[in-house]
Amino acid sequence: MKASVSDYVVEQDVFIADMLAQMEGIGLPLTDAQGRDFYTYYVHLIKTNAHMNLTAITDAHEVVVKHMIDSLSCYDPAYFFEGARLLDVGTGAGFPGIPLAIYRRDLEITLFDSLQKRLRFLQDVIDMLNLTNVTTLHGRAEDMSHQMEHRERYDLVTSRAVARLPILAEWTLPYVKVGGYCIALKGAIYEEEVEESQRALSMLGGAVREIRPITLPTISDKRAVVYLEKQRKTPTNYPRKPKDIKARPL
């Protein structure tokens, strides 16, 4: 007998109640419609993960905290102004881009990834949730920023668990407008990464605006959100070729 969704995911009201409790823990409200959208996203993530490697986290509560809430930990209306154009680099299964899109449907969000199969999954989510504010983009971060339609065109660039900060800065800052921000969701060694990125930031036209330590509900992991301000244009020779970035980080 074929298993149904209810055999391996929690019920909607259970999931939404957990989302509501955890959102309150980080000081963000949650509407009923948003709760249903997060649940639909969760169900499709788990169903698709059965035949596509999207996430190692499948427990409902851990999905809430380690994916949804962690993604929203970078949210601050001081940075996410109304109608901001946002690029989510290395979006993977859609984190943090999809949670931000659900929470703020006025943001113009592009989910950027190098694997088409992940983008097909994300397009399904976009269609299911009628996220008219979201599009997908296929390509490599080192390449697309040399195209004029993407170079220094975004108010915000987000990235979660993609690369160490000196490398990430070279991948992301070329997309950011002067006056915009790269927002990096980082793990336990964020202080070390910030220190080793100073030369890269100086060369790329960026600077650390804020480092915000984050504590997720029920989790003791050390993590932070690093907000990098784009203060001047990035020289046109950056980013370099992939082999050069990895072999000789700035």
Side-chain angles (χ1 to χ4, degrees), residues 11 13 21 25 30 35 39-40 78 92-93 96 137 145 167 217 225 237 241 247 250:
E11 296 295 331
D13 58 347
L30 182 74
Y39 181 74
T40 298
L137 178 65
S145 62
I167 293 174
V225 179
N237 54 314
K241 294 180 179 179
L250 296 176

Side-chain angles (χ1 to χ4, degrees), residues 177-247:
K177 295 178 180 178
V178 174
Y181 294 90
C182 171
I183 301 175
L185 289 76
K186 305 300 295 182
I189 61 170
Y190 68 88
E191 292 163 312
E192 176 184 323
E193 289 190 40
V194 168
E195 183 175 350
E196 69 181 26
S197 69
Q198 295 304 310
R199 180 172 180 269
L201 294 177
S202 176
M203 296 174 71
L204 297 165
V208 176
R209 169 66 178 271
E210 181 181 1
I211 303 171
R212 187 174 297 180
I214 297 297
T215 301
L216 296 179
T218 72
I219 294 178
S220 59
D221 294 357
K222 182 180 178 182
R223 61 189 68 204
V225 179
V226 180
Y227 299 86
L228 305 176
E229 183 178 10
K230 182 70 171 285
Q231 296 183 333
R232 62 187 185 280
K233 285 183 173 293
T234 301
T236 56
N237 54 314
Y238 297 111
R240 295 165 294 162
K241 294 180 179 179
K243 64 177 182 180
D244 294 329
I245 294 175
K246 293 179 181 179

Side-chain angles (χ1 to χ4, degrees), residues 163-184:
R164 290 179 71 89
L165 200 56
I167 293 174
L168 183 66
E170 187 167 357
W171 283 348
T172 57
L173 279 172
Y175 292 99
V176 184
K177 295 178 180 178
V178 174
Y181 294 90
C182 171
I183 301 175

Side-chain angles (χ1 to χ4, degrees), residues 61-93:
H61 176 69
E62 290 197 344
V63 170
V64 168
V65 175
K66 295 183 178 180
H67 280 329
M68 309 303 190
I69 300 302
D70 186 42
S71 291
L72 291 172
S73 68
C74 71
Y75 175 74
D76 184 331
Y79 295 99
F80 292 81
F81 62 86
E82 185 174 353
R85 190 179 186 200
L86 185 153
L87 181 71
D88 189 24
V89 172
T91 190

Side-chain angles (χ1 to χ4, degrees), residues 139-185:
R140 295 181 62 91
E142 305 94 326
D143 298 330
M144 298 296 283
S145 62
H146 286 291
Q147 298 183 12
M148 292 307 297
E149 63 264 38
H150 296 292
R151 191 170 185 87
E152 298 183 327
R153 300 294 186 185
Y154 296 90
D155 302 296
L156 302 168
V157 174
T158 54
S159 186
R160 175 179 181 258
V162 171
R164 290 179 71 89
L165 200 56
I167 293 174
L168 183 66
E170 187 167 357
W171 283 348
T172 57
L173 279 172
Y175 292 99
V176 184
K177 295 178 180 178
V178 174
Y181 294 90
C182 171
I183 301 175
L185 289 76

